[in-house]
Amino acid sequence: MPAIVILGAQWGDEGKGKATDQLATTDTIDYVVRTSGGHNAGHTIVVNGEKYATHLLPSGILTPGATSVIANGVVVSPEALFRELDGLIERGVDVADLVVSANAHVIASYHSTIDKVSERFLGKNQIGTTGRGIGPAYADKVNRVGIRVADLFDEGILRQKVEAALDLRNHLLTKVYNRRAVEVEAIVAELTSYAERLRPMVADTSLLLNQALDRGETVLFEGAQATMLDVDHGTYPFVTSSNPVAGGVCVGAGVGPTRIDRVIGVIKAYTTRVGSGPFPTELFDADGEALQRIGGEIGVSTGRTRRCGWYDAVIARYSARVNGLTEFFLTKLDVLDSFERIPVCVGYEVDGQRVDEMPMTQTEFHHATPVYEYFDGWKSDISGCRSFGELPANAQTYVKALEEMSGAKFWGIGVGPGREQTIVVHG
Ligand code: IMP
Ligand code: MG
């Protein structure tokens, strides 16, 4: 299985690492690749009982023998990159095989400054960003005033590009946001200070990955953020500034769509979201609190409490469609162990009309209220189950019903945080 995409099918934090772990039990993964986003992501990985969190680095950094790649579609904060690498080196992790695309865009200090002031400026309309400069770095990329990794190695070019980037930014900062202007020379010094350490990691990652695929090696594209946070297909404007959907993988890695063999959507047995924006099945009651507490739903990157709600099959079907999912991987089923009755959103009511598909407009989606179907809970601990048949009958019914309404088969089910706490349904 040469090229596999694993991505989030909801609003992030679906436990994508679980699906990666499961793949690694049967396939040798040669490359693990990030293709979009930046250090706004948060992966929690448990290896030999030790817990690691990565934000920018692919989880492959902890897989011996796998090469980790930060591809062109990622926005890279060299400061965050080195901080993360140093944290791992301190704990004895070998990080020598990391490769960074020469074409990846760079997040400099002014990007996070702008992220924070523009959020403040939005007031009650704020997006709830991670404040890490992700949006402003992508905005610069599209505005063609971005700085790319390769620019750090040519000080003359770098200075010209920083001047171009700061020209408009400084007008905005001083005249609109009432902040001090950012000095060109300070930014040039900041960025060139990273060059020496970064240089040996830099490569043409599109060439590298295509050659690996030509040799029949296994390349895992590891999604960050998720489908509903996609700037085109998510709940715009309450989204991240990149394309976490499957199509974004091709753009973000320089690998054509015909090379992708599997697209796995990771989906929780309920739903969570951090930051602002619509969320039809969100709960504001004791059940929501219980999901939050039992599921440990606190952001890895920002420490924010995640909003929680029931499974939304409309979103699952939508994700299956826009990503062309070949399968789902269902996570955190065990979090539902103690519930008496489990509602599942099977459709919406929008302004008095029943709809089964994602509404076409933002306004309609804001008006969507869930139509629920109710399932009996199984009221027992499933964390020790290792096959579908071992699950209690009510849990089997729940999973089968979700699979039927979600638009792709369920490859596996997570029943606990440990690497072995997985049930393979369709092997
Ligand atoms: P940004 O990516 O920092 O611009 O934030 C935009 C929105 O995406 C906010 O609602 C964030 O909370 C959300 N977001 C960004 N990265 C992640 C992630 O890895 N998991 C979940 N939500 C995220
Ligand atoms: Mg996360």
Side-chain angles (χ1 to χ4, degrees):
M1 264 306 171
I4 304 163
V5 175
I6 290 182
L7 52 80
Q10 296 159 317
W11 276 285
D13 310 306
E14 295 89 353
K16 296 178 272 284
K18 198 99 224 298
T20 308
D21 285 346
Q22 184 51 38
L23 273 183
T25 64
T26 52
D27 295 55
T28 303
I29 299 169
D30 300 296
Y31 291 84
V32 182
V33 189
R34 281 273 316 257
T35 61
S36 69
H39 61 305
N40 49 347
H43 291 298
T44 311
I45 309 144
V46 181
V47 184
N48 302 329
E50 286 234 23
K51 198 166 170 173
Y52 298 87
T54 68
H55 301 287
L56 174 61
L57 291 170
S59 70
I61 201 82
L62 292 161
T63 310
T67 300
S68 293
V69 178
I70 294 179
N72 60 278
V74 177
V75 283
V76 179
S77 156
E79 192 231 330
L81 176 66
F82 295 159
R83 198 176 345 110
E84 235 171 86
L85 287 173
D86 289 339
L88 292 175
I89 291 166
E90 242 170 63
R91 295 173 68 178
V93 178
D94 177 11
V95 297
D97 58 2
L98 174 70
V99 184
V100 179
S101 166
N103 286 345
H105 279 250
V106 172
I107 301 182
S109 53
Y110 56 88
H111 291 117
S112 53
T113 307
I114 287 160
D115 198 347
K116 286 174 199 144
V117 291
S118 55
E119 276 281 272
R120 219 170 300 146
F121 212 72
L122 282 171
K124 69 171 180 35
N125 295 322
Q126 69 182 23
I127 311 293
T129 71
T130 58
R132 308 260 158 102
I134 310 295
Y138 278 116
D140 279 4
K141 170 177 173 174
V142 176
N143 270 330
R144 292 158 294 184
V145 290
I147 314 286
R148 300 202 286 184
V149 165
D151 298 329
L152 269 46
F153 311 124
D154 183 333
E155 201 178 316
I157 293 277
L158 180 65
R159 183 166 289 105
Q160 281 177 33
K161 293 202 173 179
V162 172
E163 270 167 15
L166 288 181
D167 189 34
L168 177 65
R169 288 298 198 195
N170 274 334
H171 285 296
L172 272 175
L173 276 174
T174 54
K175 290 169 195 156
V176 179
Y177 296 126
N178 265 320
R179 303 278 296 220
R180 249 181 302 153
V182 178
E183 299 277 349
V184 171
E185 283 314 315
I187 297 299
V188 172
E190 170 190 320
L191 293 177
T192 48
S193 78
Y194 303 127
E196 195 186 325
R197 185 168 178 195
L198 200 53
R199 188 170 214 137
M201 305 174 195
V202 176
D204 178 343
T205 54
S206 165
L207 180 65
L208 181 82
L209 293 170
N210 280 282
Q211 286 174 338
L213 290 170
D214 289 343
R215 289 192 299 268
E217 294 184 324
T218 298
V219 177
L220 173 65
F221 297 99
E222 175 179 76
Q225 290 77 51
T227 304
M228 300 309 287
L229 289 170
D230 185 278
V231 68
D232 283 85
H233 301 287
T235 50
Y236 190 89
F238 302 102
V239 293
T240 194
S241 301
S242 63
N243 289 110
V245 296
V249 167
C250 296
V251 178
V255 165
T258 50
R259 306 215 70 159
I260 310 286
D261 300 281
R262 286 173 78 181
V263 183
I264 301 163
V266 183
I267 194 157
K268 260 192 263 213
Y270 51 99
T271 312
T272 65
R273 166 165 211 173
V274 278
S276 331
F279 176 178
T281 62
E282 182 170 16
L283 294 167
F284 301 95
D285 58 6
D287 281 343
E289 261 169 53
L291 287 173
Q292 200 274 319
R293 179 173 33 83
I294 302 166
E297 297 296 351
I298 294 167
V300 179
S301 275
T302 55
R304 289 182 287 182
T305 299
R306 295 179 188 139
R307 301 156 63 191
C308 296
W310 301 119
Y311 190 89
D312 186 333
V314 181
I315 284 172
R317 286 194 288 275
Y318 180 73
S319 267
R321 165 159 58 98
V322 299
N323 291 303
L325 296 184
T326 55
E327 59 233 281
F328 277 109
F329 188 98
L330 186 73
T331 58
K332 298 183 102 165
L333 184 62
D334 56 300
V335 172
L336 302 178
D337 280 355
S338 59
F339 289 86
E340 201 72 54
R341 198 178 69 148
I342 307 166
V344 170
C345 169
V346 296
Y348 300 141
E349 200 178 285
V350 181
D351 303 325
Q353 293 258 7
R354 162 74 189 253
V355 298
D356 294 313
E357 294 300 330
M358 187 63 120
M360 185 175 76
T361 69
Q362 185 191 355
T363 308
E364 288 166 326
F365 190 60
H366 277 264
H367 293 178
T369 53
V371 175
Y372 284 120
E373 209 170 282
Y374 296 89
F375 292 84
D376 289 328
W378 43 93
K379 306 274 288 174
S380 58
D381 179 1
I382 61 166
S383 63
C385 296
R386 293 293 175 272
S387 70
F388 191 73
E390 282 173 52
L391 287 173
N394 286 350
Q396 293 189 19
T397 306
Y398 181 74
V399 172
K400 277 191 203 143
L402 296 193
E403 182 174 46
E404 217 155 87
M405 57 179 93
S406 298
K409 68 179 183 202
F410 283 8
W411 163 49
I413 305 169
V415 292
R419 281 191 156 171
E420 70 296 346
Q421 289 176 298
T422 293
I423 293 172
V424 176
V425 187
H426 299 284

